């Protein structure tokens, strides 16, 4: 969902843009004020203002923060808020975010200065979280409304909200209820005053049912009074909660009257790794994966690996067409070569995929999925890097890395598979730093990328979420989905999940019991029902959080998850169904390929640096916007 298109740092030179604005046009001779496209955020250190700051930061919308707790903070007065430029009055901020309707206290000169400024220049104010009372145009919630937890409630966008700042939403705004034993949200739902002060109006934009009453109480509303406009928010939230992420863009749209720098979209891309290869299968007796590094040395390799069939490929094509999401297949051509060697030169899966290749997108995943980092010592679990006589790691040589990359491109060319040659995901993201065993990149990786022309390199957000440069390439961090590569059935997925996240007393590995990042399951999941009842909703909620967070990073799973019971689709469909239930048809998902996601991350970083360095100036005079 895009608002004002992002202006790249390369466009920082002056430009005149024609835009529809509520203000009338202005000639050079009049005194129409200049309003700078920058917001003022008065921060009290609480989660509500932090959440709005996070939205602005992610979108690249310039703002200035005044922290109330800082002893040396500037005083908010007329000189701080406005001045004159070239003989024209200037408002330095196009909108104001306050922690509540008056964080400065009664009879504060700072609040008086803000009120006068807002009235003079037509500047809007957001009260990030305040309680319902007549001072903000509402009846006392304790008299005719509701006060308390909002967990599990479903708020509704009103007709005014749908015609205004929340038109991108379908209407429902569900409040999270992730843990029934914990109150995760709290608020005041109140009706507008029956008799407002002279000239004042209150228009609810988001409301909820008041228990025991046919009335509905406002949770977000526009309060017009004394020549000023306030957006009154009466529930508390943090930047990670889905209800906040659903409404935060509308809050910014209301505050800026629809004109601001920065952009916000809902992104979702799914990479499916290991196509044409056969993924090893989890062993529920050994609690490891024979043939992989998590099983002790000497364990017999798995004899029933998981590999997609032509029926699975057809299902993938139909799913992609029906859902409007192109799957990005990261392929290993060597898997097809091996399959043909064992099946009289035939690979129906490869034939089917190549014939339907236009239904998908393609990423080089190296020929055989070889490990390209340090040479692994697999005689121990976990593995460690082999070292030379001086104790330094032994590295996979450049020649092997180049061969793995280039030979896979050559295989695709021979088969007639159209591949973007500059995109690369190495097997297990190997070659890049893998802590704790390999804290540094393979020094032969960067020159290998130069030799093969790779400029976009997949990385793992669980290791490094930020983008960085590796030789000629920029990384594209990808979110791993907790649908395991070695599971083709729901029962296998749940069994492994119980092992990883289970306490020793429950038959699990116990790893979670001493972890600072992993929470143990309260009890083992049922192998028949646990996938649908627990894992699918959890994974979908996590992924949807990324989607709602203006995050272009792709997600990834494996071809094994589209084979056999096709368990991966359960999560994907849950994500897409939830999205469809929340957003209007006019707000489709953005489905970028890997290079485009990488370019978006790069451009955001460039833009943020330009904004931070003061290289971006933007303002509006009437209906003209100058950048």
């Amino acid at each position: 969902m895009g608002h004002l298109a992002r202006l790249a740092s390369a466009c920082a030179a002056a430009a005149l843009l024609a835009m529809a604005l509520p203000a009338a046009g202005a000639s050079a001779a009049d005194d129409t004020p200049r309003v700078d496209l920058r917001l003022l955020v008065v921060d009290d250190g609480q989660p509500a203002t932090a959440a709005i700051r996070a939205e602005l930061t992610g979108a690249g919308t310039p703002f200035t923060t005044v922290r109330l707790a800082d002893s040396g903070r500037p005083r908010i007065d007329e000189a701080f808020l406005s001045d004159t430029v070239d003989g024209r009055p200037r408002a330095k901020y196009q909108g104001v975010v306050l922690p509540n309707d008056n964080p400065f206290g009664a009879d504060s000169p700072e609040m008086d200065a803000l009120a006068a400024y807002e009235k003079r220049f037509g500047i809007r104010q957001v009260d990030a979280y305040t309680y319902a009372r007549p001072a903000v145009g509402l009846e006392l919630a304790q008299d005719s409304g509701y006060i308390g937890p909002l967990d599990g409630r479903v708020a509704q966008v009103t007709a005014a909200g749908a015609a205004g700042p929340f038109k991108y939403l379908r209407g429902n705004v569900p409040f999270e209820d992730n843990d029934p034993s914990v109150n995760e949200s709290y608020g005041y739902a109140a009706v507008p005053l029956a008799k407002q002060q002279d000239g004042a109006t209150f228009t609810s934009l988001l409301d909820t049912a008041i228990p025991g009453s046919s009335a509905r109480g406002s949770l977000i509303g526009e309060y017009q009074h004394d020549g000023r406009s306030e957006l009154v928010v009466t529930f508390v939230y943090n930047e990670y909660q889905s209800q906040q992420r659903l409404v935060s863009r509308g809050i910014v749209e209301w505050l800026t009257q629809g004109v601001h720098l920065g952009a916000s979209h809902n992104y979702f891309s799914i990479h499916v790794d290991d196509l044409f290869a056969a993924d090893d299968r989890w062993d529920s007796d050994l609690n490891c994966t024979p043939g992989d590094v998590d099983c002790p040395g000497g364990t017999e390799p798995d004899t029933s690996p998981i590999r997609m069939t032509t029926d699975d490929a057809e299902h993938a094509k139909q799913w992609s067409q029906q859902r409007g999401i192109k799957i990005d297949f990261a392929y290993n051509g060597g898997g097809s070569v091996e399959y043909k060697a064992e099946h009289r030169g035939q690979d129906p899966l490869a034939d089917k995929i190549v014939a339907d290749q236009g239904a998908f997108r393609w990423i080089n995943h190296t020929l055989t999925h070889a490990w390209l980092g340090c040479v692994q010592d697999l005689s121990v679990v976990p593995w460690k890097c082999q070292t030379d006589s001086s104790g330094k790691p032994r590295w996979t040589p450049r020649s092997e890395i180049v061969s793995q990359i280039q030979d896979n491109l050559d295989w695709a060319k021979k088969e007639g598979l159209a591949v973007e040659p500059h995109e690369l995901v190495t097997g297990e993201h190997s070659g890049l730093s893998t802590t704790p065993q390999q804290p540094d990149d393979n020094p032969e990786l960067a020159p290998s990328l130069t030799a093969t022309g790779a400029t976009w390199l997949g990385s793992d957000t669980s290791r490094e979420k930020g983008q960085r440069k590796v030789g000629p390439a920029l990384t594209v961090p990808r979110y791993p989905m907790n649908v395991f590569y070695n599971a083709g059935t729901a029962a296998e997925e749940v069994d492994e999940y119980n092992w990883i996240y289970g306490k020793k007393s429950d038959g699990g590995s116990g790893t979670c019991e001493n972890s600072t990042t992993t929470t143990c399951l309260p009890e083992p999941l049922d192998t028949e029902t646990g996938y649908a009842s627990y894992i699918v909703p959890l994974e979908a909620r996590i992924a949807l959080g990324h989607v709602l967070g203006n995050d272009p990073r792709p997600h990834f799973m494996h071809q094994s998850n589209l084979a056999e019971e096709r368990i991966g689709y359960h999560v994907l469909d849950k994500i897409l169904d939830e999205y469809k239930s929340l957003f209007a048809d006019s707000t489709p998902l953005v489905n970028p390929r890997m290079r485009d996601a990488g370019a978006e991350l790069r451009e955001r970083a460039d833009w943020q640096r330009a904004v931070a360095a003061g290289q971006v100036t933007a303002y509006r005079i009437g209906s003209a916007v100058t950048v």
Side-chain angles (χ1 to χ4, degrees):
M1 175 187 65
H3 300 321
L4 187 66
R6 181 183 309 282
L7 299 168
S9 58
C11 297
L16 191 63
L17 307 178
M19 297 183 180
L21 290 169
S27 68
D30 70 24
D31 60 353
T32 302
R34 161 179 161 166
V35 179
D36 284 3
L37 300 190
R38 172 175 286 271
L39 297 169
L40 174 63
V41 179
V42 178
D43 190 355
D44 64 347
Q46 295 301 306
T49 47
I52 295 177
R53 282 194 295 106
E55 171 66 23
L56 298 174
T57 300
T61 302
F63 65 96
T64 294
T65 302
V66 173
R67 302 184 189 280
L68 290 173
D70 290 354
S71 58
R73 70 170 178 85
R75 296 295 101 181
I76 297 175
D77 54 21
E78 182 179 3
F80 177 82
L81 296 167
S82 63
D83 59 10
T84 301
V85 175
D86 298 328
R88 187 186 297 275
R90 175 177 71 147
K92 297 180 183 179
Y93 308 101
Q94 68 175 131
V96 177
V97 177
L98 298 183
N100 52 62
D101 56 295
N102 182 3
F104 305 103
D107 301 320
S108 165
E110 289 187 287
M111 193 65 234
D112 290 344
L114 268 175
Y117 170 75
E118 292 169 9
K119 185 173 182 178
R120 177 187 178 193
F121 291 102
I123 302 302
R124 291 180 170 185
Q125 171 185 312
V126 167
D127 305 334
Y129 171 52
T130 194
Y131 65 91
R133 66 195 196 287
V136 292
L138 294 167
E139 300 283 1
L140 290 170
Q142 59 263 39
D143 292 343
S144 58
Y146 169 79
I147 302 174
L150 298 171
D151 302 26
R153 285 177 171 266
V154 179
Q156 293 286 333
V157 175
T158 67
F166 300 123
K167 60 187 175 184
Y168 59 90
L169 294 174
R170 190 166 295 279
N172 295 335
V173 177
F175 279 65
E176 292 183 359
D177 187 14
N178 301 317
D179 187 344
S181 66
V182 176
N183 290 335
E184 300 163 26
S185 57
Y186 190 89
Y188 302 81
V191 298
L193 282 171
K195 180 173 175 54
Q196 299 283 353
Q197 62 176 282
D198 290 345
T201 61
F202 190 99
T203 305
S204 182
L205 304 177
L206 181 76
D207 65 17
T208 187
I210 295 175
S213 167
S214 60
R216 298 186 66 83
S218 178
L219 294 174
I220 300 178
E222 179 177 338
Y223 182 39
Q224 299 267 5
H225 65 106
D226 301 323
R228 300 165 55 212
S229 296
E230 285 182 61
L231 193 72
V232 178
V233 184
T234 57
F235 66 94
V236 72
Y237 46 90
N238 65 56
E239 64 187 275
Y240 304 105
Q241 291 178 307
S242 61
Q243 60 265 25
Q244 187 277 335
R245 287 181 165 174
L246 285 170
V247 301
S248 60
R249 298 171 188 179
I251 289 174
V252 174
E253 287 299 284
W254 181 91
L255 180 62
T256 62
Q257 303 176 64
V259 179
H260 60 88
L261 297 183
S264 195
H265 299 270
N266 295 336
Y267 299 91
F268 184 66
S269 298
I270 182 65
H271 293 186
V272 176
D273 291 2
D274 303 354
L275 184 68
F276 303 130
D279 288 312
D280 296 319
R281 189 183 300 274
W282 172 255
D283 189 304
S284 58
D285 294 323
L286 297 174
N287 289 319
C288 64
T289 311
D292 206 344
V293 297
D294 64 337
C295 266
T299 305
E300 287 297 318
D302 179 48
T303 57
S304 60
I306 310 164
R307 189 177 194 257
M308 287 176 66
T309 66
T310 55
D311 286 346
D312 295 327
E314 175 64 21
H315 185 87
K317 180 181 74 170
Q318 293 180 5
W319 181 89
S320 184
Q321 292 170 341
Q322 291 167 0
R323 301 305 317 229
I325 297 290
K326 278 205 170 186
I327 295 171
D328 292 88
F329 275 118
Y331 74 97
N332 305 107
S336 180
V337 172
E338 182 179 344
Y339 189 90
K340 285 182 177 181
E342 297 172 354
H343 296 83
R344 300 181 179 181
Q346 301 297 312
D347 184 4
L349 174 62
D351 295 342
K352 171 68 174 172
I353 287 287
V354 171
D356 293 338
Q357 62 177 288
F360 312 109
R361 296 187 295 227
W362 304 96
I363 302 172
N364 185 356
H365 197 33
T366 72
L367 186 69
T368 66
H369 202 278
W371 178 263
L372 303 180
C374 65
V375 179
Q376 292 174 298
D377 178 355
L378 302 179
S379 65
V380 293
V381 177
W383 63 271
K384 61 182 180 180
C385 289
Q386 294 184 16
T387 56
D388 59 21
S389 57
S390 63
K392 295 180 179 179
R394 294 179 55 206
W395 299 105
T396 300
R398 186 182 313 180
S399 59
E400 184 173 342
I401 301 174
V402 169
S403 176
Q404 280 288 327
I405 299 170
Q406 189 60 53
D407 288 355
N408 205 39
L409 292 174
D410 293 344
W411 178 88
K413 183 177 181 180
K414 178 185 174 188
E415 296 294 326
L417 189 63
V419 175
E420 165 53 68
H422 304 297
E423 296 177 340
L424 172 68
V425 177
T426 57
E428 299 180 60
H429 306 99
S430 58
L432 293 172
S433 167
T434 306
T435 55
Q437 296 100 319
Q438 183 197 310
D440 301 310
D441 294 346
N442 183 343
E444 299 299 327
L445 178 62
S448 299
L449 301 179
T450 300
T452 55
T455 54
W456 301 106
L457 179 64
S459 62
D460 186 339
T461 60
S462 66
R463 299 175 187 168
E464 46 183 329
K465 188 175 181 180
Q467 185 177 60
R468 65 182 176 95
K469 196 167 180 60
V470 182
L474 284 173
T475 59
V476 182
R478 308 188 306 160
Y479 286 110
M481 303 196 83
N482 232 358
V483 184
F484 305 128
Y485 83 97
N486 50 7
T489 70
E492 290 168 345
E493 166 76 12
V494 173
D495 186 83
E496 184 174 2
Y497 203 95
N498 283 339
W499 172 253
I500 295 173
Y501 298 105
K503 294 175 283 191
K504 277 193 173 181
S505 59
D506 288 332
S509 65
T511 304
C512 59
E513 296 178 83
N514 298 311
S515 173
T516 58
T517 59
T518 301
T519 303
C520 292
L521 288 168
E523 59 184 17
L525 302 177
D526 186 294
T527 55
E528 292 186 4
T529 62
Y531 182 64
S533 66
Y534 183 89
I535 298 175
V536 169
L538 176 60
E539 289 306 304
R541 176 167 59 85
I542 292 170
L544 192 60
H546 303 148
V547 173
L548 303 186
N550 190 21
D551 193 338
R553 294 169 180 83
H555 294 76
F556 74 95
M557 56 176 61
H558 295 81
Q559 64 85 34
S560 53
N561 308 138
L562 306 190
E564 298 186 359
E565 291 185 2
R566 301 171 182 166
I567 60 176
Y569 292 112
H570 295 265
V571 176
L572 299 179
D573 285 333
K574 178 74 170 174
I575 296 166
L576 299 179
D577 289 345
E578 289 272 341
Y579 183 85
K580 186 175 178 62
S581 74
L582 296 171
F583 287 88
D585 293 340
S586 58
T587 314
L589 283 166
V590 180
N591 178 222
R593 68 174 304 144
M594 182 168 147
R595 70 183 179 205
D596 296 329
E600 172 68 14
L601 290 171
R602 178 191 64 198
E603 289 165 9
R604 286 186 187 191
D606 290 344
W607 176 258
Q608 295 284 13
R609 282 190 291 267
V611 170
Q615 296 171 340
V616 177
T617 302
Y619 58 89
R620 64 177 171 89
I621 299 175
S623 60
V625 174
T626 301
V627 180

